[in-house]
Amino acid sequence: ANNKNRSMVAAVHHHKPPTSVVFLTAGIGGCFGWAIVHPANTIAVRWNLASMQGKKFSLRGMIAENGVRSLYDGLSAGLLRQVLYATARFGLFETFRDALHEIRGTTDFASRVVLGAVSGGMAAYISCPMEVATVRMSNDVTLPQDQRRNYKNVVDTIRRITKEEGIAAFWRGSTPFVTRAMMVGVFQVATLDQFKTMFVDLFSQQADSITNVFSASMASGLIYSLATQPLESAKNRMASQRPDSSGTLKYRSTLQTMRTVTATEGFGALYNGFLPYYIRCGGHTVTMFVCVQVLRDAYDAYQETDH
C-alpha cells in the first residue's frame, strides 16, 4: 500500500497541471468550500458584531427573527470573493513555489512560509471589495430598521458603496484582512503538513486520505483561528461601521480598533463568534483542499485516458 501511495504521489508530481488548471481548480475548490461554510461565517460575523450594537447574540433568536434563509445572506458576495481570493491565493502560491523551485532546485519549509504569507496578502488585497460586501450583506438584517442599508444583491451593494461612500470604502478594514490572510497562509503552511504526518503516526491514518486531510485541517484551523480571530473582529467592525454625524469613523486602524474594543468591551469581545469562525476556517480548508485534489485527480485521469 505504501509503495502504491508513493507511486501515486510521484505520478502527481510528474504530471504537474498547467498554470490555468492550477488557478481554475483553486477557484472552484474555494467556491465549493465557501458554499458549505457560508452559514457559519454569517453566524460568526453577526455574533462578533452583536456587542458592537449593544446586543447579546442568540442563534435561536436570530433564526426566529430572520429565518434560516438569512444564514445565506451575502452568499453571492462570498462566492465572488472566493473567485478572486482562493484563485489568487492558491494559484499564486503554487506558481511562486514552482518558479522558486526551478531557480533554487529545492523548496524548503521557510520558503513555503514566506510564499504562503506573500500570496495570501496579495490575494486578500485584491479581493477586499468582495470581503466588505460580504460583511455588509451578512449583517445588514440584524441592524435596527433605521440603520439598515437594505442591499438587494451583490451588484447593488457594490454600486451603492461606490456611489455613497467612494471607492476607498472597499478597502476599509483592508489592513486587518490582509494581515489575517498572511497569518493564515503562514499557519496553514506551517501546521497542515505537520499535523498530517503526526496523525499518521499517532492514529495510524493513511497518509493523504480523506480522514487524514480532515483531521489535519481541523487541527490546523484551530491554530490559525485562535491566532487570527482578533484580526477578523477588527476587520468586521471596520468594514461594517458608519461615520458619525461629523463624518468621523470610530475605528480607524487595526491596533486602534483592537485597543478600543478591549478597553470598552474586554479582550474576550475580540473572540465573540469564535466557534462558528473556527468551523468556517477548518471546514473551508477541508472542503476546498479535498475538492481541489478531486478535480486535479480527474484532470490527470482525463489526460492519461485521452493522451
Side-chain angles (χ1 to χ4, degrees):
N2 290 335
N3 289 335
K4 182 179 179 181
N5 285 338
R6 281 194 290 268
S7 298
M8 289 176 65
V9 172
V12 170
H13 284 292
H14 179 69
H15 299 292
K16 187 173 76 71
T19 302
S20 58
V21 174
V22 168
F23 278 86
L24 182 62
T25 54
I28 294 174
C31 289
F32 181 76
W34 190 260
I36 293 175
V37 303
H38 183 81
N41 181 72
T42 301
I43 295 171
V45 169
R46 292 179 182 177
W47 191 341
N48 186 250
L49 292 177
S51 60
M52 177 180 168
Q53 301 164 24
K55 298 180 183 177
K56 184 175 181 180
F57 179 81
S58 167
L59 177 59
R60 181 179 298 178
M62 183 195 77
I63 293 177
E65 182 179 354
N66 303 308
V68 175
R69 288 185 61 184
S70 72
L71 293 175
Y72 285 91
D73 286 349
L75 177 61
S76 57
L79 290 175
L80 281 176
R81 169 182 172 268
Q82 288 301 313
V83 169
L84 297 173
Y85 181 63
T87 302
R89 181 183 163 204
F90 294 99
L92 287 174
F93 173 77
E94 294 193 20
T95 301
F96 292 161
R97 180 198 63 197
D98 294 344
L100 185 63
H101 184 83
E102 289 183 12
I103 295 171
R104 299 180 60 195
T106 183
T107 307
D108 55 20
F109 178 77
S111 298
R112 290 175 181 271
V113 169
V114 172
L115 293 177
V118 172
S119 58
M122 290 175 64
Y125 195 79
I126 293 169
S127 62
C128 210
M130 291 300 101
E131 180 68 17
V132 172
T134 301
V135 171
R136 295 278 187 96
M137 294 174 70
S138 296
N139 193 59
D140 195 56
V141 73
T142 69
L143 298 173
Q145 286 285 351
D146 62 335
Q147 294 182 24
R148 293 182 185 178
R149 297 175 172 97
N150 296 313
Y151 297 124
K152 299 175 183 176
N153 50 53
V154 64
V155 175
D156 179 60
T157 304
I158 294 171
R159 181 185 61 79
R160 284 184 50 192
I161 291 175
T162 303
K163 181 180 178 180
E164 298 168 9
E165 303 173 54
I167 294 293
F170 285 116
W171 278 270
R172 190 181 297 157
S174 62
T175 301
F177 181 42
V178 169
T179 306
R180 173 197 169 277
M182 293 177 71
M183 291 180 67
V184 169
V186 169
F187 280 106
Q188 272 190 327
V189 171
T191 62
L192 186 63
D193 283 342
Q194 184 63 40
F195 278 124
K196 285 168 66 176
T197 302
M198 187 187 304
F199 292 158
V200 168
D201 296 333
L202 290 177
F203 306 118
S204 300
Q205 294 179 347
Q206 181 181 347
D208 295 321
S209 63
I210 299 299
T211 303
N212 185 233
V213 172
F214 176 83
S215 303
S217 296
M218 295 306 288
S220 174
L222 177 61
I223 299 298
Y224 76 72
S225 295
L226 286 168
T228 62
Q229 171 78 43
L231 294 168
E232 177 75 4
S233 298
K235 180 265 296 178
N236 287 340
R237 290 174 183 252
M238 293 175 72
S240 65
Q241 67 183 328
R242 285 175 176 271
D244 61 20
S245 57
S246 65
T248 304
L249 293 170
K250 180 178 181 180
Y251 302 116
R252 298 179 297 279
S253 70
T254 307
L255 291 177
Q256 181 265 339
T257 299
M258 293 170 66
R259 282 199 302 265
T260 300
V261 173
T262 301
T264 58
E265 302 172 37
F267 181 74
L270 293 172
Y271 281 91
N272 285 342
F274 176 76
L275 181 59
Y277 177 65
Y278 165 54
I279 293 173
R280 165 203 153 177
C281 291
H284 187 250
T285 301
V286 171
T287 51
M288 179 181 61
F289 282 155
V290 169
C291 182
V292 167
Q293 192 58 53
V294 168
L295 289 170
R296 292 184 182 176
D297 287 347
Y299 174 81
D300 287 339
Y302 170 77
Q303 290 294 96
E304 291 174 3
T305 301
D306 289 10
H307 303 285

